[in-house]
Amino acid sequence: GGATIVVDHGSGWTKIGFSEDKEPMSVFPTIVSQSAPKSKSTGSNSFASNTQTSFLVGDEIGSFTNDNELTHPVYRGLINDWDGIEQVYHYIFDRKLDLSSEQHPVFGTDSGIGPRAR
């Protein structure tokens, strides 16, 4: 496989890069906004979208969206919206890296402050 991709999806920011790099190659807000429906699409990347709904993620959103349309898939270090985090990964592999996740090991970080077992 290729170089290991590191993904740190935090409550506020997502950082991505390659394990051998000292700095992330991209940092963007961990936010998702649903946009107008579009026709189905296919792609060569393993995270390629095949849904009717289009999503904007991170720095794609810009200032033209209403706060009520935004979702924050990570809250206090924990994923609380799996559909939203899936869109973040689509964005990472399809738009930011233009790489297939099947050809590169992926290392995801964890906050380490998950809920306590009772």
PDB file of all heavy atoms in Angstrom, residues 7-28:
ATOM      1  N   VAL A   7      -5.830  10.883  10.084  1.00  0.00           N
ATOM      2  CA  VAL A   7      -7.023  11.721  10.150  1.00  0.00           C
ATOM      3  C   VAL A   7      -7.321  11.988  11.623  1.00  0.00           C
ATOM      4  O   VAL A   7      -7.543  11.070  12.401  1.00  0.00           O
ATOM      5  CB  VAL A   7      -8.240  11.041   9.483  1.00  0.00           C
ATOM      6  CG1 VAL A   7      -9.476  11.921   9.610  1.00  0.00           C
ATOM      7  CG2 VAL A   7      -7.951  10.703   8.041  1.00  0.00           C
ATOM      8  N   ASP A   8      -7.309  13.243  11.995  1.00  0.00           N
ATOM      9  CA  ASP A   8      -7.656  13.665  13.360  1.00  0.00           C
ATOM     10  C   ASP A   8      -8.914  14.512  13.250  1.00  0.00           C
ATOM     11  O   ASP A   8      -8.860  15.694  12.930  1.00  0.00           O
ATOM     12  CB  ASP A   8      -6.512  14.465  13.960  1.00  0.00           C
ATOM     13  CG  ASP A   8      -6.824  15.014  15.347  1.00  0.00           C
ATOM     14  OD1 ASP A   8      -7.849  14.613  15.944  1.00  0.00           O
ATOM     15  OD2 ASP A   8      -6.035  15.840  15.839  1.00  0.00           O
ATOM     16  N   HIS A   9     -10.080  13.869  13.448  1.00  0.00           N
ATOM     17  CA  HIS A   9     -11.341  14.605  13.346  1.00  0.00           C
ATOM     18  C   HIS A   9     -11.782  15.003  14.740  1.00  0.00           C
ATOM     19  O   HIS A   9     -12.283  14.224  15.515  1.00  0.00           O
ATOM     20  CB  HIS A   9     -12.428  13.829  12.593  1.00  0.00           C
ATOM     21  CG  HIS A   9     -12.573  12.399  12.975  1.00  0.00           C
ATOM     22  ND1 HIS A   9     -13.122  11.980  14.148  1.00  0.00           N
ATOM     23  CD2 HIS A   9     -12.212  11.291  12.322  1.00  0.00           C
ATOM     24  CE1 HIS A   9     -13.118  10.679  14.203  1.00  0.00           C
ATOM     25  NE2 HIS A   9     -12.567  10.228  13.109  1.00  0.00           N
ATOM     26  N   GLY A  10     -11.561  16.279  15.043  1.00  0.00           N
ATOM     27  CA  GLY A  10     -11.915  16.821  16.340  1.00  0.00           C
ATOM     28  C   GLY A  10     -13.255  17.520  16.313  1.00  0.00           C
ATOM     29  O   GLY A  10     -13.894  17.647  15.269  1.00  0.00           O
ATOM     30  N   SER A  11     -13.681  17.990  17.466  1.00  0.00           N
ATOM     31  CA  SER A  11     -14.965  18.690  17.574  1.00  0.00           C
ATOM     32  C   SER A  11     -14.998  19.964  16.747  1.00  0.00           C
ATOM     33  O   SER A  11     -16.027  20.308  16.177  1.00  0.00           O
ATOM     34  CB  SER A  11     -15.255  19.038  19.043  1.00  0.00           C
ATOM     35  OG  SER A  11     -15.334  17.872  19.815  1.00  0.00           O
ATOM     36  N   GLY A  12     -13.899  20.659  16.671  1.00  0.00           N
ATOM     37  CA  GLY A  12     -13.862  21.923  15.947  1.00  0.00           C
ATOM     38  C   GLY A  12     -13.171  21.829  14.602  1.00  0.00           C
ATOM     39  O   GLY A  12     -13.616  22.425  13.628  1.00  0.00           O
ATOM     40  N   TRP A  13     -12.078  21.097  14.535  1.00  0.00           N
ATOM     41  CA  TRP A  13     -11.254  21.062  13.332  1.00  0.00           C
ATOM     42  C   TRP A  13     -10.854  19.636  12.996  1.00  0.00           C
ATOM     43  O   TRP A  13     -10.632  18.822  13.894  1.00  0.00           O
ATOM     44  CB  TRP A  13      -9.988  21.901  13.529  1.00  0.00           C
ATOM     45  CG  TRP A  13     -10.305  23.333  13.781  1.00  0.00           C
ATOM     46  CD1 TRP A  13     -10.484  23.927  15.007  1.00  0.00           C
ATOM     47  CD2 TRP A  13     -10.528  24.341  12.813  1.00  0.00           C
ATOM     48  NE1 TRP A  13     -10.798  25.249  14.836  1.00  0.00           N
ATOM     49  CE2 TRP A  13     -10.825  25.529  13.494  1.00  0.00           C
ATOM     50  CE3 TRP A  13     -10.500  24.359  11.428  1.00  0.00           C
ATOM     51  CZ2 TRP A  13     -11.090  26.720  12.842  1.00  0.00           C
ATOM     52  CZ3 TRP A  13     -10.761  25.547  10.776  1.00  0.00           C
ATOM     53  CH2 TRP A  13     -11.052  26.726  11.483  1.00  0.00           C
ATOM     54  N   THR A  14     -10.729  19.363  11.706  1.00  0.00           N
ATOM     55  CA  THR A  14     -10.187  18.094  11.229  1.00  0.00           C
ATOM     56  C   THR A  14      -8.842  18.381  10.600  1.00  0.00           C
ATOM     57  O   THR A  14      -8.694  19.331   9.832  1.00  0.00           O
ATOM     58  CB  THR A  14     -11.128  17.441  10.196  1.00  0.00           C
ATOM     59  OG1 THR A  14     -12.343  17.076  10.848  1.00  0.00           O
ATOM     60  CG2 THR A  14     -10.507  16.200   9.581  1.00  0.00           C
ATOM     61  N   LYS A  15      -7.858  17.553  10.960  1.00  0.00           N
ATOM     62  CA  LYS A  15      -6.515  17.693  10.411  1.00  0.00           C
ATOM     63  C   LYS A  15      -6.181  16.400   9.675  1.00  0.00           C
ATOM     64  O   LYS A  15      -6.416  15.317  10.198  1.00  0.00           O
ATOM     65  CB  LYS A  15      -5.508  17.940  11.523  1.00  0.00           C
ATOM     66  CG  LYS A  15      -5.777  19.216  12.300  1.00  0.00           C
ATOM     67  CD  LYS A  15      -4.845  19.350  13.468  1.00  0.00           C
ATOM     68  CE  LYS A  15      -5.424  19.343  14.824  1.00  0.00           C
ATOM     69  NZ  LYS A  15      -6.750  19.195  15.163  1.00  0.00           N
ATOM     70  N   ILE A  16      -5.641  16.527   8.465  1.00  0.00           N
ATOM     71  CA  ILE A  16      -5.266  15.344   7.693  1.00  0.00           C
ATOM     72  C   ILE A  16      -3.860  15.506   7.143  1.00  0.00           C
ATOM     73  O   ILE A  16      -3.390  16.627   6.920  1.00  0.00           O
ATOM     74  CB  ILE A  16      -6.243  15.074   6.538  1.00  0.00           C
ATOM     75  CG1 ILE A  16      -6.285  16.243   5.550  1.00  0.00           C
ATOM     76  CG2 ILE A  16      -7.614  14.744   7.060  1.00  0.00           C
ATOM     77  CD1 ILE A  16      -7.055  15.948   4.280  1.00  0.00           C
ATOM     78  N   GLY A  17      -3.206  14.380   6.946  1.00  0.00           N
ATOM     79  CA  GLY A  17      -1.880  14.402   6.353  1.00  0.00           C
ATOM     80  C   GLY A  17      -1.317  13.002   6.272  1.00  0.00           C
ATOM     81  O   GLY A  17      -2.024  12.013   6.507  1.00  0.00           O
ATOM     82  N   PHE A  18      -0.052  12.916   5.952  1.00  0.00           N
ATOM     83  CA  PHE A  18       0.643  11.641   5.851  1.00  0.00           C
ATOM     84  C   PHE A  18       1.536  11.461   7.070  1.00  0.00           C
ATOM     85  O   PHE A  18       2.091  12.429   7.591  1.00  0.00           O
ATOM     86  CB  PHE A  18       1.443  11.572   4.558  1.00  0.00           C
ATOM     87  CG  PHE A  18       0.563  11.541   3.336  1.00  0.00           C
ATOM     88  CD1 PHE A  18       0.295  12.706   2.636  1.00  0.00           C
ATOM     89  CD2 PHE A  18      -0.020  10.361   2.922  1.00  0.00           C
ATOM     90  CE1 PHE A  18      -0.528  12.687   1.523  1.00  0.00           C
ATOM     91  CE2 PHE A  18      -0.849  10.330   1.810  1.00  0.00           C
ATOM     92  CZ  PHE A  18      -1.105  11.499   1.112  1.00  0.00           C
ATOM     93  N   SER A  19       1.667  10.221   7.510  1.00  0.00           N
ATOM     94  CA  SER A  19       2.371   9.937   8.759  1.00  0.00           C
ATOM     95  C   SER A  19       3.816  10.429   8.757  1.00  0.00           C
ATOM     96  O   SER A  19       4.340  10.778   9.807  1.00  0.00           O
ATOM     97  CB  SER A  19       2.323   8.442   9.070  1.00  0.00           C
ATOM     98  OG  SER A  19       2.926   7.695   8.026  1.00  0.00           O
ATOM     99  N   GLU A  20       4.467  10.472   7.611  1.00  0.00           N
ATOM    100  CA  GLU A  20       5.869  10.895   7.587  1.00  0.00           C
ATOM    101  C   GLU A  20       6.034  12.413   7.609  1.00  0.00           C
ATOM    102  O   GLU A  20       7.141  12.912   7.775  1.00  0.00           O
ATOM    103  CB  GLU A  20       6.598  10.295   6.377  1.00  0.00           C
ATOM    104  CG  GLU A  20       6.077  10.749   5.045  1.00  0.00           C
ATOM    105  CD  GLU A  20       5.025   9.819   4.455  1.00  0.00           C
ATOM    106  OE1 GLU A  20       4.578   8.872   5.118  1.00  0.00           O
ATOM    107  OE2 GLU A  20       4.629  10.070   3.309  1.00  0.00           O
ATOM    108  N   ASP A  21       4.938  13.165   7.466  1.00  0.00           N
ATOM    109  CA  ASP A  21       5.011  14.627   7.479  1.00  0.00           C
ATOM    110  C   ASP A  21       4.942  15.168   8.903  1.00  0.00           C
ATOM    111  O   ASP A  21       4.242  14.619   9.744  1.00  0.00           O
ATOM    112  CB  ASP A  21       3.881  15.223   6.644  1.00  0.00           C
ATOM    113  CG  ASP A  21       3.994  14.864   5.170  1.00  0.00           C
ATOM    114  OD1 ASP A  21       5.112  14.510   4.722  1.00  0.00           O
ATOM    115  OD2 ASP A  21       2.970  14.919   4.469  1.00  0.00           O
ATOM    116  N   LYS A  22       5.636  16.267   9.144  1.00  0.00           N
ATOM    117  CA  LYS A  22       5.638  16.877  10.475  1.00  0.00           C
ATOM    118  C   LYS A  22       4.393  17.699  10.742  1.00  0.00           C
ATOM    119  O   LYS A  22       3.993  17.875  11.884  1.00  0.00           O
ATOM    120  CB  LYS A  22       6.883  17.760  10.649  1.00  0.00           C
ATOM    121  CG  LYS A  22       8.155  16.978  10.734  1.00  0.00           C
ATOM    122  CD  LYS A  22       9.337  17.875  10.994  1.00  0.00           C
ATOM    123  CE  LYS A  22      10.588  17.031  11.078  1.00  0.00           C
ATOM    124  NZ  LYS A  22      11.725  17.791  11.551  1.00  0.00           N
ATOM    125  N   GLU A  23       3.787  18.235   9.699  1.00  0.00           N
ATOM    126  CA  GLU A  23       2.609  19.098   9.824  1.00  0.00           C
ATOM    127  C   GLU A  23       1.463  18.517   9.002  1.00  0.00           C
ATOM    128  O   GLU A  23       1.702  17.862   7.990  1.00  0.00           O
ATOM    129  CB  GLU A  23       2.922  20.510   9.310  1.00  0.00           C
ATOM    130  CG  GLU A  23       4.039  21.222  10.054  1.00  0.00           C
ATOM    131  CD  GLU A  23       3.635  21.628  11.454  1.00  0.00           C
ATOM    132  OE1 GLU A  23       2.449  21.958  11.653  1.00  0.00           O
ATOM    133  OE2 GLU A  23       4.505  21.609  12.339  1.00  0.00           O
ATOM    134  N   PRO A  24       0.214  18.788   9.404  1.00  0.00           N
ATOM    135  CA  PRO A  24      -0.915  18.346   8.572  1.00  0.00           C
ATOM    136  C   PRO A  24      -0.893  19.043   7.216  1.00  0.00           C
ATOM    137  O   PRO A  24      -0.472  20.195   7.109  1.00  0.00           O
ATOM    138  CB  PRO A  24      -2.159  18.773   9.351  1.00  0.00           C
ATOM    139  CG  PRO A  24      -1.694  19.286  10.651  1.00  0.00           C
ATOM    140  CD  PRO A  24      -0.217  19.491  10.597  1.00  0.00           C
ATOM    141  N   MET A  25      -1.336  18.339   6.192  1.00  0.00           N
ATOM    142  CA  MET A  25      -1.397  18.967   4.868  1.00  0.00           C
ATOM    143  C   MET A  25      -2.649  19.812   4.706  1.00  0.00           C
ATOM    144  O   MET A  25      -2.713  20.694   3.863  1.00  0.00           O
ATOM    145  CB  MET A  25      -1.304  17.929   3.752  1.00  0.00           C
ATOM    146  CG  MET A  25      -2.486  17.006   3.646  1.00  0.00           C
ATOM    147  SD  MET A  25      -2.352  15.816   2.289  1.00  0.00           S
ATOM    148  CE  MET A  25      -2.440  16.874   0.883  1.00  0.00           C
ATOM    149  N   SER A  26      -3.673  19.537   5.550  1.00  0.00           N
ATOM    150  CA  SER A  26      -4.910  20.306   5.470  1.00  0.00           C
ATOM    151  C   SER A  26      -5.586  20.338   6.839  1.00  0.00           C
ATOM    152  O   SER A  26      -5.590  19.335   7.553  1.00  0.00           O
ATOM    153  CB  SER A  26      -5.852  19.676   4.441  1.00  0.00           C
ATOM    154  OG  SER A  26      -7.042  20.426   4.334  1.00  0.00           O
ATOM    155  N   VAL A  27      -6.143  21.481   7.165  1.00  0.00           N
ATOM    156  CA  VAL A  27      -6.920  21.666   8.392  1.00  0.00           C
ATOM    157  C   VAL A  27      -8.198  22.388   7.985  1.00  0.00           C
ATOM    158  O   VAL A  27      -8.142  23.409   7.295  1.00  0.00           O
ATOM    159  CB  VAL A  27      -6.146  22.506   9.435  1.00  0.00           C
ATOM    160  CG1 VAL A  27      -6.989  22.728  10.686  1.00  0.00           C
ATOM    161  CG2 VAL A  27      -4.815  21.855   9.786  1.00  0.00           C
ATOM    162  N   PHE A  28      -9.349  21.832   8.383  1.00  0.00           N
ATOM    163  CA  PHE A  28     -10.628  22.434   8.013  1.00  0.00           C
ATOM    164  C   PHE A  28     -11.643  22.203   9.114  1.00  0.00           C
ATOM    165  O   PHE A  28     -11.503  21.277   9.914  1.00  0.00           O
ATOM    166  CB  PHE A  28     -11.134  21.889   6.667  1.00  0.00           C
ATOM    167  CG  PHE A  28     -11.302  20.401   6.610  1.00  0.00           C
ATOM    168  CD1 PHE A  28     -12.499  19.807   6.985  1.00  0.00           C
ATOM    169  CD2 PHE A  28     -10.262  19.592   6.202  1.00  0.00           C
ATOM    170  CE1 PHE A  28     -12.658  18.435   6.943  1.00  0.00           C
ATOM    171  CE2 PHE A  28     -10.406  18.217   6.150  1.00  0.00           C
ATOM    172  CZ  PHE A  28     -11.617  17.638   6.524  1.00  0.00           C
TER     173      PHE A  28
END
